[in-house]
């Protein structure tokens, strides 16, 4: 596939000083959003590493912001202490209400942050490095036709304190890649479609809806592909990402939410006939003293509209434009 050859990069291809020069030349601003929920153990290191290299030494980032889902540990205090701007998601656009979920944080970041480009990086990365930002920004600064850059990496599974040389991406390989191969074959060229690290131009982010839960990445890819085509995407190899892996039952709940989002998208795009009403309860089983007990999880898809449709956002952007 020609796209794979032309739009796939390695972070080592990008020089920070050159990216800084290209950023000045383009006259764009770049914001980093770190969505959090109880990440006190990793958030401090992330901010120190990224701020020291990408704001203090190089001027690639204009702001680093934590959008918090309501942590009950010291996440917000630690983030402030190390120099990040911290915003509780519930306090952003209060007139729109609040939902718990990563997608909610990402959506509200569009309103709260000022960058022409927004970079999203998860807070639980144990081997955080500046490449998790500049590797994603690089294609956007070098290729004006690209609007959405996804990360991919080796995701070794941590077992008994040791790292396995391969593994990870289980929901991608078991669910998303088969679905993309069936319905959107071109999107199957994205090596890790569910990666939590990506950089996007504001003019794209503000025009697409955001499921508040796990379906947000899948929704983004389908919507951007449908509106702007495969040429809007690029992907960057960030080598390795080490993080806490989720249990199989948690991945099942993630997959259930993603599948609902996927089915809603192909229904709205009229790719298949009208879907019947879908059940929103996932049934799983736990073993307790030799007995199998059924657990039920009600997982409903809540979706935020494109930010450009929010009156407060339109007003804010108009005021920002007038002040320039």
């Amino acid at each position: 596939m020609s796209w794979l050859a032309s739009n796939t990069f390695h972070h080592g291809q990008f020089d920070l000083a050159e990216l800084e020069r290209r950023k000045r030349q383009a006259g764009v601003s770049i914001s980093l959003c770190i969505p959090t929920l109880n990440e006190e153990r990793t958030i401090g290191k992330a901010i120190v590493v990224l701020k020291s290299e990408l704001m203090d030494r190089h001027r690639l980032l204009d702001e680093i912001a934590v959008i918090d889902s309501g942590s009950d540990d010291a996440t917000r205090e630690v983030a402030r202490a190390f120099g990040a701007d911290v915003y509780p998601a519930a306090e952003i656009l209060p007139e729109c209400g609040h939902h718990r979920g990563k997608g909610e944080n990402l959506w509200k970041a569009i309103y709260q942050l000022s960058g022409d480009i927004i970079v999203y990086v998860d807070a639980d990365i144990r081997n955080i490095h500046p490449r998790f930002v500049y590797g994603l920004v690089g294609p956007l600064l070098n290729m004006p036709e690209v609007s959405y850059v996804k990360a991919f990496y080796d995701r070794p599974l941590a077992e008994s304190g040791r790292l396995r040389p391969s593994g990870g991406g289980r929901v991608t390989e078991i669910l998303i890649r088969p679905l993309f191969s069936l319905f959107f074959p071109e999107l199957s060229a994205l090596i890790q479609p569910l990666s939590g690290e990506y950089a996007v131009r504001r003019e794209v982010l503000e025009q697409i809806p955001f499921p508040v839960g796990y379906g947000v990445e899948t929704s983004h890819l389908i919507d951007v592909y449908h509106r702007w085509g495969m040429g809007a995407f690029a992907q960057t190899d960030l080598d390795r990402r080490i993080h806490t892996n989720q249990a199989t039952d948690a991945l099942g709940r993630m997959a259930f939410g993603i599948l609902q989002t996927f089915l809603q998208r192909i229904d709205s795009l009229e790719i298949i006939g009208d879907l019947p009403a879908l059940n929103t309860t996932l049934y799983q089983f736990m073993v307790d003293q030799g007995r199998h007990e059924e657990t039920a999880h009600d997982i409903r898809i809540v979706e935020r509209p494109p930010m450009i449709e929010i009156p407060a956002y339109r007003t804010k952007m108009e005021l920002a434009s007038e002040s320039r």
Side-chain angles (χ1 to χ4, degrees):
M1 179 183 285
S2 61
W3 179 89
L4 192 63
S6 63
N7 287 46
T8 300
F9 302 90
H10 185 274
H11 69 85
Q13 295 176 240
F14 303 113
D15 175 74
L16 264 172
E18 175 61 16
L19 291 180
E20 188 178 8
R21 185 190 70 79
R22 286 185 175 271
K23 179 198 169 199
R24 288 196 304 269
Q25 187 178 49
V28 297
S29 57
I30 304 175
S31 299
L32 171 63
C33 169
I34 306 177
T36 57
L37 177 63
N38 297 329
E39 303 290 356
E40 65 179 5
R41 292 183 297 176
T42 53
I43 190 62
K45 179 182 177 182
I47 293 168
V48 167
V49 168
L50 300 177
K51 183 176 183 296
S52 61
E53 187 70 8
L54 303 178
M55 288 187 79
D56 299 338
R57 184 178 177 191
H58 297 278
R59 292 293 301 173
L60 192 66
L61 289 176
D62 296 282
E63 63 181 330
I64 297 177
V66 165
I67 310 293
D68 186 70
S69 285
S71 297
D72 55 17
D73 65 0
T75 295
R76 293 190 297 273
E77 292 77 10
V78 171
R80 288 192 188 96
F82 284 102
D85 299 322
V86 178
Y87 306 100
E91 296 178 9
I92 302 171
L93 292 171
E95 67 273 20
C96 295
H98 178 63
H99 299 281
R100 292 290 289 268
K102 177 184 176 183
E104 177 85 348
N105 291 23
L106 307 184
W107 182 72
K108 288 188 170 179
I110 304 170
Y111 176 84
Q112 189 63 51
L113 306 188
S114 61
D116 301 303
I117 293 169
I118 298 179
V119 187
Y120 296 110
V121 173
D122 282 348
D124 65 344
I125 303 172
R126 287 158 46 192
N127 64 324
I128 192 67
H129 184 277
R131 68 178 183 269
F132 281 86
V133 173
Y134 69 73
L136 300 176
V137 170
L140 295 174
L141 295 178
N142 289 340
M143 302 172 68
E145 68 274 20
V146 169
S147 298
Y148 198 113
V149 183
K150 291 286 289 187
F152 69 96
Y153 26 62
D154 179 36
R155 296 175 58 190
L157 292 174
E159 292 185 343
S160 302
R162 301 191 313 173
L163 294 177
R164 276 182 17 185
S166 63
R170 291 165 285 173
V171 176
T172 288
E173 299 306 325
I174 292 171
L175 179 67
I176 295 301
R177 193 170 306 287
L179 287 174
F180 279 174
S181 296
L182 284 169
F183 292 97
F184 305 101
E186 284 192 298
L187 286 177
S188 64
L190 290 164
I191 294 171
Q192 287 185 338
L194 299 184
S195 64
E197 288 69 49
Y198 36 98
V200 195
R201 299 189 194 277
R202 175 177 292 274
E203 60 262 29
V204 168
L205 282 175
E206 67 184 10
Q207 295 185 62
I208 57 178
F210 276 63
V212 304
Y214 287 118
V216 63
E217 283 88 8
T218 303
S219 168
H220 279 188
L221 297 183
I222 295 172
D223 290 340
V224 172
Y225 175 73
H226 177 67
R227 294 190 61 173
W228 293 282
M230 203 65 194
F233 293 109
Q235 60 185 349
T236 301
D237 184 353
L238 302 182
D239 283 337
R240 172 173 284 197
R241 183 192 197 276
I242 301 174
H243 67 122
T244 302
N245 301 293
Q246 296 198 54
T248 302
D249 60 338
L251 294 179
R253 295 190 290 276
M254 178 190 298
F256 188 67
I258 291 172
L259 183 56
Q260 287 187 64
T261 298
F262 185 92
L263 291 173
Q264 288 181 2
R265 279 294 179 278
I266 62 173
D267 184 45
S268 66
L269 293 174
E270 299 182 347
I271 292 174
I272 59 174
D274 291 339
L275 285 176
L278 298 176
N279 176 51
T280 59
T281 302
L282 173 67
Y283 298 97
Q284 295 180 314
F285 289 88
M286 305 290 290
V287 179
D288 183 17
Q289 297 180 351
R291 295 181 305 170
H292 287 79
E293 296 187 357
E294 185 180 74
T295 60
H297 305 274
D298 188 48
I299 301 173
R300 298 175 185 268
I301 301 303
V302 177
E303 188 167 281
R304 291 299 198 172
M307 183 59 75
I308 198 68
E309 297 177 7
I310 303 300
Y313 177 76
R314 296 177 70 91
T315 299
K316 181 176 181 178
M317 296 306 293
E318 289 169 4
L319 292 174
S321 177
E322 290 172 1
S323 66
R324 292 191 184 119

